[in-house]
Amino acid sequence: MARSYKHMETSVIHEGYDSKEMLGSLTTPLFQTSTYTFDTAEQGERRFAGEEEGYIYSRLGNPTVKVLEERIAALENGERGLAFGSGMAAVSAVLIALTKANDHVLCSVGLYGCTFGLLSMMKEKYNISHSFSTMETEEEIRSQIKPETTCIYVETPINPTMKLIDLEMVARVAKEYDIPVVVDNTFASPYLQNPLELGCDVVLHSATKYIGGHGDVIAGLVVGKKEFLDEVAMTTLKDIGGVMSPFDAWLLLRGLKTLPVRVDRHCDNAEEIFKRLKSHPNVEAVYYPGDNTHPDYHIMKKQMRRGGGVISFEIKGTKQDAQQFLNNLSFLKIAVSLGDAETLIEHPATMTHAVVPGDSQRDMGITDQLIRLSVGLEAWQDIWQDLEQALNKITVSLDAYSKA
Ligand code: LCS
C-alpha cells in the first residue's frame, strides 16, 4: 500500500482507517470476536471458496487486525502487511516460508538470540543450514552465497552490538542472484528506516518494542509483496497459527499514533546519554550509530533518519562487575525488551543472547562486559544520574578486584 500522506507523522494516525465505515468511531473499534456468522449455509460455502469477500474466523482475519496490517504496510511502503502473535512468530513464519530441507540462509553477524535458536533448530531438524557474514562489502556477500541460498536475513541495527548493515548494497547483490532479502527492522522502527524503499523484499518487526512502545504487548508485523504475503497468510500464518489478538492490534494502533514523537525523544535522550557514557572513566567503549565516531555512521546517514534509542557499552571490569553495575541501579529497570517509556537495561551475554554459545557470542561481539541500554522517555538528567552513580560504584569493585 502506498502511503496516502506525505508525512509519516500523519500516516501513523490515519492510514488504513475510515471512521465513516465504522459508525463514526474516531478510534478503530475493537472486534473482540473469534468467529463471524453466515446468513446462510451457501454464504459460508462461498466465503470458504474465496468467491465472496467477508470474515470467516479470526485466525483467518479480523477487522481490527486488518486496520493495523494496512497501516504498517503503508508505513513501510509495501504491498501487504501481516500481523503475528509475537516477533518470533513473524520471524519463523517468514523463514519457514522461504526455505525447505537442504536450503541455506545467509545471515548478518549478529541476530537476536531466539532467531539464532530458531535457525539452529531448523538446521538440526530439516538440514536448513545458515552462515554469518559481516556484509561489509559486495565481495564478502558474494563469497558467502551458495547455490542453495534461498534467503538473506539481516538485522540492522544489530541486537545488541549496534553494528549496521548497508541495506541498499545487500539488496543490490541479492538481486543478481534473485535471492530475497529479509530485514528485521525492530531496532529502527518504521519511523527511522524503511528497508523496502532500499530494495529489500521483506521487512519485519517485533512490534513488542517501539511500535507498541508501552511495554504491554507481545506482537510481530511483516510487510512485503502481496504475492509472497498472500502465501504466508495461507500457510505459515494460518496453518501454524501464530496470529495476533484483536486487543493487541488495538493497543498497537494506539501506540503507533505517537511513534514519531516517542522515537524522536528516545533519540534525543540517547544522544545525551551517549556523550556522558563515552567520557565516564569506568566505561571501556560505547556503541551508538547516531554518533559520528561509530564506524557505521556513514551507513546510518544513508539509510536511517536518526541513530535510535538503544546504546550498548562495555564497562571496565569483569562479568561480576557488569552484574554489580546493574544491581547498583536505583530506579532504572533491569529487564529485557526495548523501546518502552521506561529505560530498560540488560546483560546480553546472560540474558537476551544466553542461548548463543560462547564462541558464537564472541564472533558477534558480545562480551561479558557488554551492557545494552534502551534509553526511555524519562528526563535524560534522571537517567544519567542513576547510570552515573551505578558506574561510580564499579570503581570500588574494580579496586577490590585489583587487590584480590
Ligand atoms: N527481532 C529482534 C531484533 C528482537 O530484538 C526480538 C525480541 C525479536 C525479533 C522477537 O520478538 P518478540 O517475539 O519478543 O516480540 N527481542 C528481545 C530483546 O532484545 N529483549 O527481549 C526480547
Side-chain angles (χ1 to χ4, degrees):
M1 239 180 83
R3 260 179 236 151
S4 325
Y5 307 93
K6 199 164 159 199
H7 298 284
M8 176 80 77
E9 289 80 353
T10 313
S11 290
V12 291
I13 298 171
H14 291 289
E15 297 281 4
Y17 182 63
D18 182 356
S19 58
K20 287 197 211 81
E21 290 173 7
M22 298 285 180
L23 303 171
S25 175
L26 175 68
T27 59
T28 311
L30 170 55
F31 284 85
Q32 189 71 24
T33 185
S34 56
T35 197
Y36 306 82
T37 59
F38 307 128
D39 294 340
T40 62
E42 289 77 10
Q43 183 182 47
E45 182 179 10
R46 286 196 300 278
R47 294 238 175 123
F48 269 91
E51 292 161 9
E52 179 185 298
E53 290 251 322
Y55 291 98
I56 296 174
Y57 182 67
S58 277
R59 182 157 43 76
L60 317 183
N62 171 281
T64 311
V65 175
K66 184 158 178 272
V67 174
L68 176 66
E69 290 177 337
E70 292 192 358
R71 190 159 301 172
I72 191 68
L75 297 181
E76 286 289 11
N77 243 328
E79 291 176 7
R80 183 169 180 187
L82 281 181
F84 293 81
S86 70
M88 285 316 301
V91 172
S92 54
V94 168
L95 280 175
I96 293 169
L98 288 175
T99 53
K100 56 178 174 22
N102 306 316
D103 284 347
H104 168 254
V105 180
L106 181 60
C107 307
S108 50
V109 174
L111 290 176
Y112 170 54
C114 293
T115 305
F116 183 92
L118 172 71
L119 286 164
S120 307
M121 190 259 281
M122 287 166 70
K123 163 83 184 132
E124 208 170 292
K125 292 189 98 152
Y126 309 113
N127 199 32
I128 298 166
S129 62
H130 59 272
S131 53
F132 297 98
S133 163
T134 59
M135 302 195 187
E136 274 168 3
T137 61
E138 293 190 10
E139 294 66 42
E140 158 62 21
I141 301 168
R142 282 199 188 92
S143 73
Q144 298 261 11
I145 291 175
K146 303 173 189 224
E148 61 273 22
T149 306
T150 58
C151 170
I152 298 183
Y153 187 96
V154 175
E155 264 180 35
T156 181
I158 296 177
N159 183 0
T161 54
M162 303 310 291
K163 291 178 187 155
L164 304 187
I165 305 269
D166 181 339
L167 291 177
E168 189 272 328
M169 179 183 75
V170 174
R172 189 161 9 99
V173 175
K175 284 255 150 17
E176 291 168 18
Y177 298 83
D178 208 16
I179 300 170
V181 178
V182 179
V183 180
D184 185 331
N185 202 23
T186 300
F187 270 51
S189 89
Y191 177 58
L192 296 181
Q193 177 172 272
N194 299 115
L196 302 183
E197 293 177 0
L198 300 163
C200 301
D201 301 278
V202 180
V203 57
L204 59 87
H205 291 273
S206 165
T208 314
K209 313 293 166 14
Y210 289 102
I211 290 176
H214 294 74
D216 47 17
V217 184
I218 295 279
L221 291 166
V222 178
V223 181
K225 289 247 159 46
K226 186 173 178 308
E227 192 186 345
F228 175 62
L229 289 203
D230 285 352
E231 182 200 322
V232 170
M234 294 308 286
T235 57
T236 53
L237 176 56
K238 173 174 77 72
D239 295 341
I240 296 181
V243 292
M244 183 184 288
S245 87
F247 183 56
D248 288 349
W250 189 86
L251 283 172
L252 292 171
L253 284 164
R254 184 163 77 162
L256 263 178
K257 290 184 189 184
T258 54
L259 180 79
V261 180
R262 287 186 286 108
V263 172
D264 269 330
R265 181 60 70 87
H266 282 294
C267 294
D268 292 344
N269 282 356
E271 287 168 12
E272 294 295 340
I273 299 298
F274 168 79
K275 280 189 269 185
R276 287 160 180 82
L277 277 174
K278 211 174 151 218
S279 52
H280 195 284
N282 289 345
V283 173
E284 184 74 44
V286 193
Y287 310 107
Y288 181 58
D291 187 80
N292 63 14
T293 54
H294 190 285
D296 300 330
Y297 180 71
H298 63 288
I299 303 177
M300 193 287 291
K301 291 300 278 180
K302 216 171 111 175
Q303 68 190 27
M304 292 175 74
R305 199 190 280 249
R306 296 183 70 179
V310 181
I311 299 173
S312 56
F313 60 98
E314 293 183 61
I315 59 139
K316 288 183 181 156
T318 61
K319 173 182 160 190
Q320 286 68 31
D321 292 302
Q323 291 180 324
Q324 188 58 53
F325 160 67
L326 295 181
N327 293 336
N328 292 342
L329 291 163
S330 133
F331 82 98
L332 297 183
K333 308 297 179 204
I334 307 172
V336 296
S337 203
L338 55 116
D340 290 335
E342 294 83 358
T343 294
L344 303 180
I345 191 159
E346 65 117 6
H347 185 243
T350 58
M351 296 179 186
T352 45
H353 292 70
V355 339
V356 180
D359 48 347
S360 300
Q361 281 193 358
R362 275 183 289 283
D363 292 346
M364 289 181 180
I366 301 170
T367 65
D368 280 349
Q369 293 79 28
L370 189 74
I371 302 284
R372 190 187 74 189
L373 174 69
S374 167
V375 181
L377 300 177
E378 304 96 337
W380 65 260
Q381 293 90 339
D382 291 333
I383 301 171
W384 175 243
Q385 191 181 41
D386 200 7
L387 289 171
E388 188 181 32
Q389 65 78 23
L391 281 168
N392 288 346
K393 286 192 190 143
I394 303 176
T395 322
V396 178
S397 155
L398 267 180
D399 279 354
Y401 176 68
S402 59
K403 278 185 205 121

